[in-house]
Amino acid sequence: MTKEEAENGRDDMAIDGAEQANAVPDGFDANYLRIYYGKLFPHADMFKWMSYGNDGKHPACDRSYFGRREFSFTLENDIYIRFQSFNSVIELENSIKEKCPFKIDIGPVYSVDPAKRHAYAGDNVFTPVERELVFDIDITDYDDVRYCCTGADVCLECWPLMTIAIKVIDAALRDDFGFNHILWVYSGRRGVHCWVCDGKARRLTNEQRTAIADYFRVYKGNENSHKKISLPGPVLHPFLARSYTEVLKGFFEAKLLPNQSLLSSEDRYEKILEMIPDASVASELRGRWQENKRASMSKDDINLVRWDQLKSVLQSGKQKTQGIRRCVEEIVFSFTYPRLDMEVSKHMNHLLKAPFCVHPKTGRVCVPIDPNNCDEFDPTTVPTLSQLVEELNREGLRQDAENEWDRTSLGESIKFFRTTFLQPLLKSCKEDIESSYNAKLQQSKNTLSCRTQSNHLCPNVYSHLFNPVINAVEDQN
Amino acid sequence: MEVVQSHRKSSSNNVTVSTLPLYRSAPPLEVRLEDFELFAMDRLRVLKGISDGLGRGKKPEEMEKLVADLWKANMRHPQANEEANKDIISHFVLRLVYCRTEELRKWFLSMETTLFRYRFRFESSEAQRALMSEFKLPYKAVSNAEFESVKDKLGQVARSMGQTLASADAIFYKVPFEEVPELVAGRRVFICKGHAYVAMNQVVSLVVTQFRSYLSKALILTNRKWTSTVREQEKDRLAPIVEALCTSYLGPDYSQPNEAGEISVKDIDHIAKTSFPLCMRHLFEKVREDHHLKHGGRMQLGLFLKGVGLKLDDALAFWKAEFAPKVSAERFDKEYAYNIRHNYGREGKRTDYTPYSCQKIISSTPGVGDHHGCPYRHFSEENLRAALVRMGVSSRAVEDVVDKVRNRHYQLACTLTFEAVHGSSCDAGINHPNQYFIDSQRILQSKGLCLHTEYCVIWDTFEYSLQLTQSLQWMSLYVPIWFHSLAEFDIKGTGAAGSVFTDTTDGGGSLNPMLIQ
C-alpha cells in the first residue's frame, strides 16, 4: 500500500499495480479533462442557468431561447471554434464531452440561431439581443501597485485587492443599480469575473453597459502620467464616498500599506510622493523620511507611522487648495480601487469564460466566490483538476453515477452555485415569464370585450382599438 | 412610471412654445435644387464648427457660445418661418449625405446631437417641458416625502460637481437609470435601487438621449431607402450633390493611400524621425523599446501605418520582427497576425478600417500599460517637455505648446509642434495624424528631403475635388421636391427633368408618392 492509503487506513481491494494508478500526478491533462467533463462538470446546471426559465412547460416559454445562445470552444492546439449553439442539454453535454474543450466561452443570445447566421443577410438581422452584464478584474492590471508578485502570479498578500474589488462592485450593483442575481467567479488564475443575470441587465444596450462601466471607472492613467486618479470636487459622489469609508480606507491602512511596505523604502515612497501635486509638501515629507531612515522612533510599523505623518500634513488646516486635501483619498483610491477591463463590459458580443471551466495553465476550476464571504476565499486552495480526479479515484467505483461531484471538493461549489444563485434566479425568471404572460392575456381580453361591446355601439371606437398605430401617427402630426 | 399628462401636449399644439424642431417627419415643402445644396452647406459649416470645438476640448460654456455663434452666422434668416424651413430642410438633406456608411452616420449623429443639446439649453423651461412631453418621456417627479429622505445624498452629488442643491422646492425626476446613461457615466446623479434622481437642469440629458436614439434609427432607415431605390433614380441629379457634399467637408479619410505612395519596412525608421506626429512617434519608440504594444496601441499605430502606405505583407513583417524578442513566430501567427489582417480588411466582415483621426485619438482612454491616445492630453508636463525636446523643438516653442496643452487645446499644440519642427506654418491645423505625415513629407520634398513625391499627389487630388464641388453650385435646375415622412423622397418631375416614378401617374403633374416598402 502507498503511504497515503496507509494513513487513511483504507482497506481497498486494490491490488498492488492499481495502487499506483490512484496517485495522480499534478498538472493539467487532457485525459483528466475528459473525466472532468464526464463526471463533474455541471452540464445540467449550466443549461438551466442559460435557459432562464425557458426550458419549462409554461406556454409562454420561448423554446428557441437556449438555441440562440453562442458558445465558443477552444480545443487542444489552440483551435478556436465560434458560434456553437445547442438546442438541448443533451446536445450541449454531448458536444462538450466529445470535443473536450480546454476553454468554454459564453457569448450573447442572438436574434437567430448562430449556427444559421449566414442565412440572414443585411444589417441588424443577426444581432445580439440579450447578454448578461459582465465584469472582468485581472490582477495584472494592478502590477504598478503590488510588489509581491508580477504578471500571472498571485499570492495571499496581493489577492485581497481582488476581494476589495468584489466588495465595492457588488455593493454598487445591488444598492445603486438594483440588481439581484449576481454571480462572482474565480477566473482560475489571477482574477475574478462577475455575471449580472437580472432580466434588466441582460437587456441593456451597449451604450448602457458603457455607462455603467464608466460609473465604475476612476483610474485613468498610464505610466506616462503621474497622477492616475483624479477626484475633483469638494466632496465625493456618494458611491465613491461609501466605497472609501466602508471598504478602501480600512483595507489600505490595515493591510495593503504594511503588507506591501508602501512607504518603507525610498523608491516606494517616491511613487506616493509623486502623486502630491504640491512639490513643497512632498519635499517636506521626503526630508523627514530621509532623516528617519535608520532610526525608528516607535515599535509601530514604519509604513503606518509615515502614513499618519502624510495624512496630518495633507489634511492639516494649513492646506488651502482643495487638491491637497483630496490627495489622501486619491492615493488610497489609486492603490485599492477596482480596475475593470472596460472592453469586456461594454459590448454585448464579448465572449467570457464559463464558470466551472478548468484553467489550462493552473489546472484550477473556475469556482464561484461568495461576495458576502469573499475575505475567506483563498485562490491557492481552489480545487485543481488533478486533485478532483484523485478524489474521484479514491472513492472508488460506485453504482450510481449521479452527483459524483458531491464526493469531491467541487461539491461545495456546486451546492453554493445552486442554492445562492441558480435557484433564486430561476424562481424569479419563472415569475417574470408568468406575469408578462398574464399581462398580455389581460390586455387581449380587454380588447376582446371592448370589441364585442362596440359592435353594438360605435364603429369608430372599434377602429381605434384595432389600429393603434394609426393613432400614434396622427398624434405625432 | 407615469407618462406625462397629455393636456400639456395639446396646449403646445395650440401655442407655439418652442421653435426647436425634432425632425420627426419632413413637412411637405418645395425646395429649389440650389437651396438643396446651399442650405446643406450652411448647416455643414455649423456641424464642422462643432466638430472642431469638440476636438479642441472646449468646455461646455465655450461650446454653448460656439454653437450660438455658428448658428447665427450660418442659419439665420430674416423671416422666422423661412429660418425654420431652412433648419428642417438642411437637416434632412444632410441625412441623405451622411447615412451612407457607419462612420459617416456616427459623425453626423454625434454632431447633430451636440447641436440639439446646446440649442435645447437655450430654450426656456416652458419650452423644455413641452419638448419633453413631445418625446413622451416616462419621468415621475419626486414627492416631497421622498425628497426629504434622499436630500442629503442629492446634495452630496451636487457638491461633488461643484454645484449646490437648488432650493428646497427643487424639482427632481426619478427615472430608471437606463434612461440617462450619460448622467450615470459621469456620476452626475444619485442612483438607488436602479433609479436615478435627475435634476431639472439635467433633463437635457434625458431629452438628448431620446433625440439621439431616434435619429440613429432614422439614419439606418434613410440609408436603406437611399441605397435601395432613391440613389439609382437620382443618379444624375441629387446623387452627385450628395456625394460631393460629404467628401468636400470631411476631408480625405486616408483609407486608400495612393497606390504609388508605398513605404517599405526599412523606410519606417527614417520617416518616424522626420514625419510622424508625437502620438505615433511615441508608439513607435515604445514598440522598439518594449518589443510589444497593447491592443489600443497596435490599432492606432497599425492603422496609421496603413494610411501611410505600408502594405499588409510589410506590416506583418514589421510587427513580427518587432515582437520577435518576446513573441515566437508561431505565437505571433496565432495571436497577432489575424488582427493585422483584420485591420486591412482581409478577415471577418472585411471592413477596411480607416486610420484614426485626432478627434478619435484624443477621446480614447489609455489605461495601465497603454501608450496610445494623444500625448498632449495624457502625458504629464514633464514627460511632454522631454518628448518635445527629443523631437527637436526649441525651448521657446516648447513653452508655447505647453501653454496650449494647459488650456486643453491639444490639436493646436500638435500644430505648433509641427510648425516648430518643420520651420513653416500649418494654417489648416492638424486634424489627423496622416495629414501631419503628408504635410510633413510635402514640406520635406519641397526642400528636397522627401522620400516619395507621391504624397503630394494625394494632397493635390483633394484640393482638386474641392474645386469640383463648388462648380456644382451653379446647377440651377428648378425642381420641386416633396419630402415625405422619415426618409422617403417623393419627387415630382416636370416632364423633361427626367424623374422616375415606380407607380402609375394619374395624368400630368399630380403627385404620386413612391411606394417604398
Side-chain angles (χ1 to χ4, degrees), chain A residues 78 141 174-178 200 208 211 214-215 217 219 221-225 233-238 240-241 476, chain B residues 24 156-157 159-160 178 181 184-185 187 189 191-194 282 334 365-368 370-371 378-380 383:
Chain A
D78 283 338
D141 286 339
R174 287 177 208 274
D175 298 339
D176 296 3
F177 290 101
K200 259 197 341 171
Q208 289 158 344
D214 279 329
Y215 181 82
R217 184 157 63 116
Y219 190 91
N222 54 28
E223 69 190 50
N224 293 312
S225 44
V235 307
L236 295 178
H237 184 279
L240 297 178
Q476 269 186 340
Chain B
R24 287 295 171 114
Q156 212 178 336
V157 174
R159 285 199 309 281
S160 76
E178 293 96 322
V184 169
R187 286 193 294 268
V189 280
I191 313 178
C192 183
K193 292 294 180 207
H282 177 65
K334 223 184 277 186
T365 49
V368 187
D370 281 326
H371 296 288
H378 291 115
F379 275 24
S380 65
N383 286 347

Side-chain angles (χ1 to χ4, degrees), chain A residues 172 176-177 211-220 229-232 235-241 243 333 337-338 340 342, chain B residues 153-154 156-162 180-191 197 202:
Chain A
D176 296 3
F177 290 101
I212 297 177
D214 279 329
Y215 181 82
F216 285 132
R217 184 157 63 116
V218 174
Y219 190 91
K220 276 178 193 162
I229 299 263
S230 184
L231 299 173
V235 307
L236 295 178
H237 184 279
F239 160 60
L240 297 178
S243 304
F333 268 81
Y337 184 84
L340 306 174
M342 301 282 293
Chain B
K153 295 285 193 305
L154 297 179
Q156 212 178 336
V157 174
R159 285 199 309 281
S160 76
M161 299 188 285
V180 285
E182 291 171 22
L183 297 177
V184 169
R187 286 193 294 268
R188 298 204 293 277
V189 280
F190 173 62
I191 313 178
Y197 291 79
Q202 291 175 316

Side-chain angles (χ1 to χ4, degrees), chain B residues 129-147:
Chain B
R129 267 199 276 269
L131 276 165
M132 279 174 77
S133 68
E134 287 273 329
F135 279 108
K136 295 186 168 54
L137 284 173
Y139 66 88
K140 188 173 174 190
V142 169
S143 69
N144 282 339
E146 191 175 0
F147 181 75

Side-chain angles (χ1 to χ4, degrees), chain B residues 31 76 83 158 200 211 221 248 267 338 410 436 478 482:
Chain B
V31 182
R76 282 253 179 266
E83 189 172 320
M200 183 64 200
F211 176 83
L221 278 173
S248 71
D267 299 329
Y338 179 90
Y410 309 118
Y436 183 112
Y478 175 84
W482 293 75

Side-chain angles (χ1 to χ4, degrees), chain B residues 123-310:
Chain B
E123 299 288 322
S124 68
S125 36
E126 273 303 305
Q128 288 181 348
R129 267 199 276 269
L131 276 165
M132 279 174 77
S133 68
E134 287 273 329
F135 279 108
K136 295 186 168 54
L137 284 173
Y139 66 88
K140 188 173 174 190
V142 169
S143 69
N144 282 339
E146 191 175 0
F147 181 75
E148 283 305 311
S149 69
V150 293
K151 201 165 65 160
D152 282 339
K153 295 285 193 305
L154 297 179
Q156 212 178 336
V157 174
R159 285 199 309 281
S160 76
M161 299 188 285
Q163 299 166 10
T164 52
L165 193 58
S167 57
D169 56 349
I171 304 176
F172 269 80
Y173 297 104
K174 195 169 159 184
V175 295
F177 77 87
E178 293 96 322
E179 303 280 332
V180 285
E182 291 171 22
L183 297 177
V184 169
R187 286 193 294 268
R188 298 204 293 277
V189 280
F190 173 62
I191 313 178
C192 183
K193 292 294 180 207
H195 292 111
Y197 291 79
V198 182
M200 183 64 200
N201 63 14
Q202 291 175 316
V203 147
V204 180
S205 180
L206 282 171
V207 173
V208 168
T209 308
Q210 292 292 317
F211 176 83
R212 194 195 170 97
S213 99
Y214 176 80
L215 184 56
S216 174
K217 294 186 193 120
L219 279 174
I220 302 217
L221 278 173
T222 310
N223 184 38
R224 276 200 203 140
K225 286 178 183 162
W226 175 259
T227 43
S228 64
T229 36
V230 183
R231 179 178 62 191
E232 188 49 40
Q233 283 149 356
E234 287 297 328
K235 71 171 188 283
D236 298 320
R237 194 179 57 157
L238 295 182
I241 302 179
V242 162
E243 264 141 47
L245 269 170
C246 160
T247 52
S248 71
Y249 272 88
L250 268 193
D253 60 5
Y254 306 99
S255 60
Q256 303 297 337
N258 193 328
E259 272 303 318
E262 286 180 22
I263 57 164
S264 65
V265 178
K266 62 175 169 39
D267 299 329
I268 300 184
D269 257 319
H270 176 71
I271 55 175
K273 289 200 187 63
T274 59
S275 300
F276 278 15
L278 183 57
C279 51
M280 302 303 173
R281 262 181 81 110
H282 177 65
L283 283 168
F284 183 71
E285 274 169 24
K286 280 294 164 190
V287 158
R288 277 279 146 95
E289 202 179 294
D290 298 339
H291 299 292
H292 192 265
L293 262 191
K294 283 186 130 185
H295 182 258
R298 295 201 302 273
M299 287 300 281
Q300 190 175 308
L301 182 60
L303 289 174
F304 170 76
L305 290 175
K306 183 174 86 147
V308 158
L310 191 65

